[in-house]
Amino acid sequence: MYTVADLRKGLKVTLDGDPYLVIAFDFAKPGKGQALYRTKLRNMISGVILDRTYRSGETFEPASLEERKMQYLYKEDDHYCFMDNQTYEQVHVSEAAMGDAKNYLIDNLPVSILLFKEKAIGVEIPNFVNLRVTQTDPWAKGDTSGSDSKPATVESGYVLRVPPFIEEGELITIDTRTGEYSTRVKG
Amino acid sequence: MDDNWTLAARRNALIARATIIQEIRRFFIEGGYLEVETPLRIPAPAPEAHIDAIPAGNWFLQTSPELCMKRMLAAGYERLFQICHCWRAGERGSHHLSEFTMLEWYRANSDYLDIMVDCEGLIRTLVSGAGRGTSITFRGMTTDVGGEWERLTVEEAFDRYSETSMEEALALDRFDEIMVESIEPKLGMERPTFIHDYPASRGALARLKADDDSVAERFELYIGGLELANAFSELNDPIEQRRRFEQETAYREELRRQAYPLPEPFLGELASMPPSAGIALGVDRLAMVLLNAGRIDDVVAFTPDEL
């Protein structure tokens, strides 16, 4: 069981029997008032998004989902196809249910497919993934301020801001919970 | 730079933040205010229903320098300001840090309306100093600080932005939720908003209005939907102050929150405090607004998660 203070983006909870994904979470406290937790929750079956404010002390049951390790194969129309390495069974996950995970998909990426009543309704990817930079402008030499960033495209097609010293062809680590650059993979 | 790019990337924000703090100091020194430092670790924080202090040894880290600064007013210091760290347990979010930087200022022989004028002067000075003339862009909204600022009573704010009146909200115990969901996001958009005259029950250290004791002379300042400061005409009746502290302590015990000893030296000296007004302004949030930062994390060198 979670208390509301444990909630964070990416957590899955049960509301009225359905699995919900926390897609936004923030702490609020109007002047001298009580602590409140503002959440945005997406119903993982219907896709309906709820805005809910909770008081401290509220509790949640984790969503009862089955997790199966699978491998990403390919995208077809608005579906993503994954394969179970043991049984060779293939499942499809809709683009909407993929959420931000679709930004980091590369061939053979190991993922967990989330099943609810045997239907694939979501995907879990590692918190950190390493992706190669396929396009970024060169660093203007002499700029040592360290305060600027520049856009870069990685092999999955995702575009993010990276430090100026990152060059094309380099491998970088991305934090998939925030979508932000984390570090450069050395060597 | 390669090892901690997040920190390196905050360079411009941290330089701007330092400038803001230097300009705040200059503003108050030029206004005849004395800069003071009071202890950060104290034996008895003011008991307030929803503010939790962090224990430090057998004492506590301050949640605000308020009580020590009021003891200085009582001792005859007339204009005071302080920039210091404060701690509040369990507060962390996109605009909350458990350890944060507070600016407080107090003035004798004044009320909360005088503090509103101070706020206007301070923020206009900081905005023009940053070379922005009179407007701030924050969260996609341009707020003009040069003209007349909005003054809205809490009751009017409920009438304007919520289907529930203030009175109903209090009766239903929905005041805070409605404030957060429906009212705060509308405050301080085209111009800054002072939302004032809070229900008497929501200002444990504030003086009640002379002509209406159902409301306290308290205001909050908002820019771009973000709460920046809380101010009062200060209560200086020691008997009433003791009664309110006991009430807040009883409420805290009901919620099974840690009880604090009563701040006896403060209560003992309060009768000597002249009619005064004071304010607590969050410096990190002020920096967010002035620098158009989306998260409080963007304007500090380190968050607790990075230590």
Side-chain angles (χ1 to χ4, degrees):
Chain A
M1 195 166 67
Y2 303 116
T3 75
V4 64
D6 300 325
L7 295 191
R8 60 205 77 257
K9 204 176 150 188
L11 212 64
K12 293 148 204 96
V13 297
T14 300
L15 279 187
D16 308 322
D18 278 359
Y20 279 82
L21 175 70
V22 179
I23 54 176
F25 177 78
D26 202 7
F27 174 83
K29 205 162 188 254
K32 306 249 176 204
Q34 61 190 308
L36 296 171
Y37 299 85
R38 306 200 69 192
T39 62
K40 240 185 227 307
L41 302 151
R42 187 163 60 81
N43 185 312
M44 295 177 73
I45 300 168
S46 68
V48 169
I49 291 172
L50 298 181
D51 284 287
R52 288 274 174 92
T53 302
Y54 295 100
R55 295 184 181 194
S56 56
E58 299 240 23
T59 56
F60 300 84
E61 291 297 331
S64 53
L65 299 171
E66 188 198 339
E67 272 189 37
R68 276 168 68 185
K69 297 254 174 281
M70 296 207 185
Q71 203 172 45
Y72 172 58
L73 293 181
Y74 56 85
K75 185 186 177 202
E76 193 177 62
D77 302 328
D78 59 347
H79 283 77
Y80 291 78
C81 186
F82 297 86
M83 183 177 68
D84 186 318
N85 285 333
Q86 257 87 57
T87 65
Y88 303 109
E89 185 195 345
Q90 293 189 10
V91 299
H92 290 85
V93 179
S94 73
E95 181 152 6
M98 287 295 295
D100 293 339
K102 64 175 180 284
N103 293 334
Y104 315 106
L105 290 180
I106 48 169
D107 291 349
N108 305 324
L109 183 76
V111 301
S112 292
I113 294 295
L114 304 172
L115 299 116
F116 183 74
K117 295 182 179 160
E118 283 160 42
K119 188 176 160 25
I121 57 166
V123 55
E124 195 134 84
I125 57 168
N127 287 342
F128 295 96
V129 295
N130 294 338
L131 294 175
R132 202 163 291 283
V133 174
T134 52
Q135 197 283 317
T136 191
D137 291 336
W139 184 12
K141 288 284 178 214
D143 176 9
T144 54
S145 71
S147 57
D148 287 322
S149 59
K150 58 175 186 176
T153 309
V154 292
E155 55 191 305
S156 61
Y158 178 58
V159 180
L160 76 167
R161 313 270 327 163
V162 301
F165 51 77
I166 295 294
E167 292 170 17
E168 265 179 30
E170 275 192 282
L171 201 57
I172 62 169
T173 303
I174 299 173
D175 185 333
T176 61
R177 295 161 298 183
T178 59
E180 287 170 11
Y181 168 88
S182 175
T183 182
R184 126 165 103 177
V185 182
K186 286 171 187 153
Chain B
M1 180 163 83
D2 201 355
D3 288 330
N4 192 343
W5 183 62
T6 312
L7 180 55
R10 285 181 191 151
R11 177 187 299 261
N12 286 344
L14 295 180
I15 292 170
R17 175 194 170 99
T19 307
I20 290 166
I21 291 174
Q22 287 150 16
E23 286 176 357
I24 291 172
R25 276 211 166 83
R26 193 174 318 130
F27 177 85
F28 284 104
I29 292 166
E30 284 172 5
Y33 282 79
L34 177 67
E35 180 168 13
V36 299
E37 290 177 283
T38 59
L40 303 179
R41 186 170 158 269
I42 56 173
E48 294 188 73
H50 300 294
I51 298 179
D52 291 327
I54 296 176
N58 51 349
W59 286 8
F60 298 91
L61 295 174
Q62 68 173 355
T63 57
S64 152
E66 180 166 7
L67 301 187
C68 283
M69 291 183 79
K70 286 185 185 172
R71 289 181 68 186
M72 295 188 75
L73 288 171
Y77 296 89
E78 291 191 327
R79 286 183 169 218
L80 303 167
F81 82 100
Q82 176 159 207
I83 298 168
C84 59
H85 280 212
C86 293
W87 290 260
R88 294 181 180 182
E91 302 195 4
R92 179 71 174 109
S94 65
H95 49 272
H96 283 89
L97 283 169
S98 198
E99 175 176 358
F100 61 102
T101 303
M102 190 85 107
L103 161 66
E104 297 212 2
W105 73 91
Y106 291 83
R107 43 189 295 171
N109 307 310
S110 307
D111 66 13
Y112 71 152
L113 300 174
D114 298 310
I115 299 280
M116 289 185 189
V117 176
D118 287 341
C119 287
E120 291 168 348
L122 172 66
I123 288 175
R124 282 180 189 141
T125 301
L126 295 175
V127 172
S128 64
R132 273 178 285 250
T134 64
S135 69
I136 305 172
T137 301
F138 177 59
R139 294 180 171 169
M141 171 66 69
T142 300
T143 306
D144 179 41
V145 302
E148 198 183 330
W149 292 16
E150 182 178 38
R151 295 186 184 192
L152 197 63
T153 67
V154 176
E155 192 173 11
E156 287 166 347
F158 273 82
D159 290 345
R160 189 178 300 179
Y161 300 122
S162 162
E163 284 162 16
T164 313
S165 73
M166 181 182 85
E167 219 166 296
E168 287 166 342
L170 288 167
L172 295 168
D173 189 25
R174 295 252 311 136
F175 185 95
D176 290 327
E177 277 98 341
I178 292 172
M179 205 65 163
V180 161
E181 289 176 349
S182 309
I183 299 178
E184 286 192 329
K186 305 284 173 44
L187 301 178
M189 304 317 278
E190 284 89 10
R191 54 190 176 143
T193 300
F194 294 113
I195 174 166
H196 61 94
D197 294 2
Y198 276 71
S201 59
R202 291 180 172 257
L205 292 125
R207 188 171 80 201
L208 302 184
K209 260 181 120 71
D211 57 356
D212 179 4
D213 65 6
S214 72
V215 292
E217 290 195 351
R218 170 184 165 197
F219 76 77
E220 298 254 0
L221 169 62
Y222 283 84
I223 295 180
L226 187 64
E227 175 197 339
L228 289 182
N230 173 75
F232 303 139
S233 297
E234 305 292 348
L235 177 66
N236 64 350
D237 172 348
I239 296 166
E240 171 66 7
Q241 186 66 79
R242 182 181 295 277
R243 192 189 66 75
R244 294 208 206 153
F245 278 172
E246 285 169 353
Q247 201 175 6
E248 297 284 312
T249 301
Y251 186 67
R252 290 186 60 81
E253 280 168 1
E254 214 175 286
L255 297 173
R256 297 208 202 128
R257 299 216 162 113
Q258 179 162 26
Y260 315 126
L262 282 187
E264 291 298 344
F266 163 76
L267 288 167
E269 294 160 20
L270 190 57
S272 307
M273 189 176 86
S276 303
I279 183 167
L281 184 151
V283 173
D284 312 289
R285 290 198 198 164
L286 179 61
M288 283 175 71
V289 166
L290 293 171
L291 305 176
N292 193 16
R295 299 175 307 175
I296 201 166
D297 305 33
D298 299 334
V299 298
V300 295
F302 295 95
T303 65
D305 325 85
E306 292 161 348
L307 295 174

